[in-house]
Amino acid sequence: MDQNSKSKRLLQEIVNRQQRKKALDPQIALFAQQRSFALDRNKLVAACCSRRAGKSYAMAFRLAQVAIEKPHSLIPYITRTREDAKDILHPPLIELNQRYNLGLKFRQNNGDVCFPNGSRIFLRGANNMREVEKLRGKKFPIVGIDEAQNFPEDLMAYMLEQVIEPATMDYIDSQILMGGTPNASCAGPFHEMVTGKTPGWSVHGWVFTDNPHLPDPVGQLAGLRRRRGWTVAHPAYRREYLGQWVRDAEGLVYEFNPRINAVPQWNKDLAADWQYLLGIDLGFNDPTA
């Protein structure tokens, strides 16, 4: 390759890098509520939103922004399973890559996303302690934890306090981003973070109708309520589409019904004839179900 060709390639690479930095400008790529989340430089930042509000897109944007700003950085994106992580994160990153020519490479075997500057967003499922332990021994400028309403308290506390937070101490401006939607139990670590019970979190929230990229969101919601016979006070509607914390016993795994689940009278004389069975569901995506 002659010197002229090398110079052209070098110049083109400089132009490409400038375009990438310019492309991930939140004023261009995000709407107002997403920008507020992505521009928040607090250490702990959470987004509690309705469904289809665009929180995962905003998180993907911020993770990609840091990956470009900090060459050769390693950035985890965490949900309960790696399959979920891939299904959630890949679509927004693919869209950003196509719109702004970021030069991303998507590994099909493990779902990791590689950047031209050597940075990598890697996907992790954290549904048990063994998977959480795989995050040890690394340093992270930013960490994204999505669908956080699904994490149990003990696992989330261990992951944050003993694994993730120590891994972010190499960077003075490091961040931990948390995203999720309200759950039916109105309980758990994510609920405590976004309702002020766990201090230190800068909390953002927006809803389905704030997303300008969705076609006629108000009309869609009205049609959904008609089809399902819901009022605007229905607990599932308020949680999923208004992003509100509303406890709903019927939305839990099983609602206790005294008529069905309780034994009205115990006949000890028949106990000797009883058979006892133990069923264990080991699950597939989760270690137990």
Side-chain angles (χ1 to χ4, degrees), residues 5-21:
S5 297
K6 290 181 179 179
S7 298
K8 287 183 178 179
R9 288 188 61 183
L10 179 60
L11 180 61
Q12 184 61 49
E13 180 59 26
I14 292 173
V15 171
N16 290 341
R17 291 185 181 183
Q18 290 175 340
Q19 288 177 340
R20 288 169 190 147
K21 289 183 178 180

Side-chain angles (χ1 to χ4, degrees), residues 33 50-53 206-212 214 216-219 221 237 241-242:
Q33 290 82 358
S50 74
R51 301 288 298 278
R52 310 311 307 151
W206 66 95
V207 296
F208 180 91
T209 52
D210 293 321
N211 188 343
L214 296 178
D216 188 22
V218 175
L221 292 183
Y237 176 78
Y241 298 100
L242 303 182

Side-chain angles (χ1 to χ4, degrees), residues 139-154:
K139 61 179 183 179
F140 309 131
I142 191 169
V143 178
I145 303 174
D146 214 348
E147 301 304 327
Q149 76 277 1
N150 295 325
F151 284 87
E153 184 173 0
D154 56 346

Side-chain angles (χ1 to χ4, degrees), residues 25-204:
D25 179 353
Q27 301 297 331
I28 299 174
L30 304 177
F31 58 83
Q33 290 82 358
Q34 289 177 321
R35 280 198 301 273
S36 179
F37 173 73
L39 291 173
D40 192 330
R41 293 299 179 263
N42 283 287
K43 173 75 173 182
L44 306 175
V45 185
C48 181
C49 302
S50 74
R51 301 288 298 278
R52 310 311 307 151
K55 65 173 174 55
S56 296
Y57 190 99
M59 185 179 291
F61 173 91
R62 179 61 184 149
L63 298 182
Q65 190 179 47
V66 173
I68 291 173
E69 292 172 353
K70 299 182 184 298
H72 305 287
S73 58
L74 193 60
I75 298 172
Y77 175 78
I78 303 165
T79 62
R80 288 298 303 277
T81 70
R82 181 179 287 181
E83 292 83 0
D84 287 344
K86 183 176 179 181
D87 291 343
I88 296 170
L89 190 69
H90 273 203
L93 287 181
I94 289 172
E95 181 179 331
L96 288 169
N97 186 47
Q98 292 174 343
R99 287 178 63 186
Y100 302 118
N101 189 28
L102 300 180
L104 306 185
K105 293 183 179 179
F106 296 82
R107 293 181 178 175
Q108 295 305 312
N109 58 338
N110 58 14
D112 292 0
V113 182
C114 302
F115 289 71
N117 65 355
S119 293
R120 177 163 59 95
I121 298 176
F122 69 98
L123 311 186
R124 283 294 179 269
N127 57 5
N128 57 56
M129 204 70 74
R130 183 181 65 181
E131 293 300 318
V132 170
E133 288 295 330
K134 294 179 181 179
L135 295 166
R136 284 185 177 271
K138 307 172 181 67
K139 61 179 183 179
F140 309 131
I142 191 169
V143 178
I145 303 174
D146 214 348
E147 301 304 327
Q149 76 277 1
N150 295 325
F151 284 87
E153 184 173 0
D154 56 346
L155 187 64
M156 177 69 84
Y158 180 80
M159 180 167 64
L160 283 178
E161 297 170 7
Q162 301 189 44
V163 179
I164 287 178
E165 284 192 278
T168 62
M169 295 180 69
D170 289 72
Y171 298 88
I172 192 65
D173 57 349
S174 63
Q175 290 186 294
I176 298 173
L177 306 183
M178 194 78 62
T181 57
N183 58 33
S185 64
C186 290
F190 182 64
H191 175 263
E192 295 184 355
M193 291 171 190
V194 301
T195 57
K197 295 180 180 179
T198 301
W201 287 87
S202 177
V203 181
H204 300 256

